[in-house]
Amino acid sequence: MSHNGKSGVRHATDMVTPYALAAKDNAVHYAQQAGAHVAPAARKAATQAKRQYTSQVVPAVARAKAAAGPARQEATVRSQVALAALRGDVSTRDIRAAVRRRKRRARTGRLLRKAGMIGLVAGGAYAAWKWWSGQNSPDWLDEPSDATEVPENSDH
């Protein structure tokens, strides 16, 4: 039986081998075709993703960093002042004076901005009034002055 078993396996192998080789060749062929079609699409997708990243993500991160800059600086200054106060390098009197200076500067800045806005509005109103008055009283509407007449009994 062992001899018949081995020959049966050989016979089955001989029968299946051409089909297996054909299937392998077909698989290689289809894989090459798929690679030829998928690779350009994958390159295109990668290029598009890179373009989108550089045009959208990078500027958004830069804007976020720029927006966080002043807050980060303020936090750094405050933490340094707090550490100096804890070490005793800065007195509460110095801190109060700094706070007063800051409030005064902020108040002065607000006052200057308000004065500037009032000046702009007043200047705009004056310019509008000059334009309007020029439109409503052109020179041709003014009454002509009386003509100077030469008397008829002149000695000339």
Side-chain angles (χ1 to χ4, degrees):
M1 258 197 182
S2 68
H3 185 29
N4 281 342
K6 284 182 182 179
S7 68
V9 169
R10 278 190 197 131
H11 178 68
T13 302
D14 291 340
M15 295 296 288
V16 172
T17 300
Y19 295 110
L21 290 175
K24 180 192 86 148
D25 291 341
N26 283 339
V28 167
H29 176 71
Y30 289 129
Q32 288 172 346
Q33 282 185 342
H37 292 294
V38 171
R43 278 193 298 274
K44 183 178 177 182
T47 303
Q48 187 176 9
K50 181 181 176 185
R51 188 178 306 122
Q52 187 175 9
Y53 173 78
T54 56
S55 69
Q56 293 177 359
V57 174
V58 172
V61 169
R63 284 192 304 270
K65 281 184 177 180
R72 182 180 40 162
Q73 290 172 344
E74 179 73 18
T76 302
V77 169
R78 286 181 182 221
S79 63
Q80 289 172 349
V81 169
L83 284 174
L86 287 173
R87 282 184 294 210
D89 296 342
V90 179
S91 69
T92 56
R93 181 178 174 190
D94 294 337
I95 294 172
R96 285 188 189 119
V99 168
R100 277 194 305 272
R101 276 194 307 272
R102 184 169 181 247
K103 286 181 180 179
R104 193 174 333 123
R105 285 182 184 149
R107 196 170 40 245
T108 303
R110 284 192 302 269
L111 180 66
L112 286 174
R113 281 192 299 276
K114 285 180 184 177
M117 287 303 294
I118 289 171
L120 283 174
V121 169
Y126 178 75
W129 175 77
K130 288 295 280 180
W131 175 83
W132 183 77
S133 66
Q135 296 295 317
N136 287 331
S137 61
D139 293 337
W140 61 269
L141 279 180
D142 290 339
E143 291 291 325
S145 60
D146 291 337
T148 52
E149 296 180 15
V150 178
E152 290 181 22
N153 297 349
S154 132
D155 288 346
H156 287 268

